[in-house]
Amino acid sequence: MTFPSHRGLGRRLFIAGALAATAFASAHAQGDWPRGQTIRLIVPFTAGSGTDIVARLVAERLGPALGTSVVVENKPGAGGTLGAVQVARAPADGYTLLVHSAGHLVNPSIYPNLSYDTLKDFAGITPMASLPNVLVTSPGKFADVKDLVAQVKAKPGGFNYASAGNGSATHMNAEVFRLAAGIQAQHVPFRGTPEAMTEVMGGRVDWFFAPMVSALPLIKDGKLKALAVGTGKRSSVQPDLPTTVEAGVPGSEYLFWVGLFAPAKTPRPVIDRLQTEVAKIMAAPDLKDRLDKLGAEPFTMPSAQFDTFLADETAKSARIVKASGIKVD
């Protein structure tokens, strides 16, 4: 009779124990999570921002769906990187999550010394909503998009455009448009959207890709003129407004979205549960009505598809940053 060596037996016992522990952890996460414990949604921007608004709309419904409390915590700073690093370093147990935007994928290209890896240190759960930007000018400055492009081409460098900060969604949208249109103009970054819109209304800055949620009241009051939306399809709140592509600038579409992330090693059953519940929330007709009033639209996908989307969009953002020379001062 042959007996196993102590080393071989120990190895098999170790492997069996590890597999059992993994199975237990997975079953525990799927069966008991969230166990009545509070879930924190970290928003790396100020209260009242588009990302924050979407986070709070979801949080108020996600808590009852999971049978626990869900709270939003704002951790603004450094283009959203301060809140992101907090979540990257948090326990991967499903109780600390990140609500970030398309800017999450821009940051690796403009912050060379990030202390986290955007793709490796986070698990994508699902996008939640898309928030279109709208190309606005002061009334009477340009007749339409073709007129803007024609005037700027006739006087290279003689016009300027605003953003809510270097690398922001408003900046990225403007650069995609500028590169696609083949025009040269001076970029003027501001601390935020309100400051940028004030300067555009006053005619001191020529155009701005403003968040629809912020610009819509001023457009309706006639203080800003909307020329086009920056997304690939028209906005439901301004259906007569063309996209920049329809207005004659192919390749100028830019998708700004808000999504939900978890630390990378969060158990798959937790990721799947969150994705399922958020998809249900975003599909509710009354929530869509609330998003419509903000100029936003539901935008969800399975987590595996979201991970592929994140990798593709990160590469695309890097190309835009390189082509336009975006830098953080």
Side-chain angles (χ1 to χ4, degrees):
M1 182 178 294
T2 301
F3 294 94
S5 66
H6 290 299
R7 179 178 297 178
L9 179 61
R11 177 178 174 80
R12 284 194 289 274
L13 288 173
F14 174 81
I15 293 173
L19 291 173
T22 300
F24 174 80
S26 177
H28 186 61
Q30 188 171 18
D32 297 337
W33 180 88
R35 301 192 298 277
Q37 188 172 330
T38 298
I39 297 171
R40 301 157 63 219
L41 301 186
I42 306 299
V43 175
F45 304 107
T46 57
S49 64
T51 303
D52 175 76
I53 291 171
V54 172
R56 293 180 187 277
L57 285 174
V58 172
E60 69 182 24
R61 294 165 183 246
L62 184 59
L66 296 174
T68 191
S69 58
V70 178
V71 299
V72 174
E73 296 182 11
N74 299 94
K75 301 289 182 180
T81 62
L82 296 185
V85 72
Q86 179 178 343
V87 177
R89 294 173 178 172
D93 55 11
Y95 296 105
T96 304
L97 307 174
L98 176 69
V99 179
H100 213 317
S101 66
H104 187 44
L105 311 184
V106 179
N107 286 338
S109 297
I110 61 177
Y111 292 97
N113 298 314
L114 284 180
S115 59
Y116 60 85
D117 187 298
T118 301
L119 296 178
K120 294 181 180 179
D121 291 339
F122 297 92
I125 298 173
T126 181
M128 298 188 292
S130 62
L131 291 82
N133 290 321
V134 56
L135 174 57
V136 295
T137 70
S138 60
K141 187 173 285 281
F142 303 108
D144 51 27
V145 171
K146 288 184 178 180
D147 182 42
L148 184 155
V149 173
Q151 287 196 45
V152 178
K153 283 188 174 181
K155 192 178 178 182
F159 291 83
N160 55 23
Y161 57 100
S163 82
N166 288 315
S168 66
T170 61
H171 189 192
M172 293 291 285
N173 207 152
E175 292 300 337
V176 170
F177 173 77
R178 185 183 65 79
L179 292 169
I183 56 178
Q184 295 295 327
Q186 179 66 38
H187 171 229
V188 184
F190 291 91
R191 293 181 62 182
T193 290
E195 295 88 347
M197 289 196 299
T198 296
E199 294 303 299
V200 173
M201 283 189 289
R204 293 175 290 277
V205 177
D206 296 310
W207 73 85
F208 176 42
F209 276 89
M212 181 70 81
V213 60
S214 302
L216 195 56
L218 297 172
I219 294 170
K220 290 181 176 179
D221 288 345
K223 296 178 180 179
L224 286 172
K225 179 177 180 178
L227 301 183
V229 292
T231 46
K233 64 177 184 177
R234 296 192 180 200
S235 169
S236 58
V237 296
Q238 292 275 280
D240 295 332
L241 197 62
T243 68
T244 52
V245 173
E246 291 174 331
V249 187
S252 59
E253 65 272 18
Y254 178 76
L255 178 65
F256 177 62
W257 50 266
V258 173
L260 186 63
F261 302 81
K265 296 182 180 180
T266 300
R268 176 50 55 180
V270 174
I271 299 291
D272 292 342
R273 176 76 187 282
L274 284 164
Q275 193 280 330
T276 297
E277 296 299 342
V278 171
K280 290 178 182 177
I281 289 169
M282 302 312 294
D286 61 325
L287 183 68
K288 186 178 186 306
D289 289 342
R290 292 178 69 178
L291 289 173
D292 280 344
K293 294 177 182 177
L294 301 173
E297 298 180 8
F299 175 46
T300 63
M301 66 179 69
S303 55
Q305 184 181 345
F306 189 34
D307 280 333
T308 300
F309 173 84
L310 293 172
D312 292 343
E313 290 295 303
T314 298
K316 184 186 299 184
S317 295
R319 292 194 294 270
I320 295 169
V321 169
K322 183 177 180 180
S324 58
I326 296 175
K327 295 180 179 180
V328 176
D329 296 330

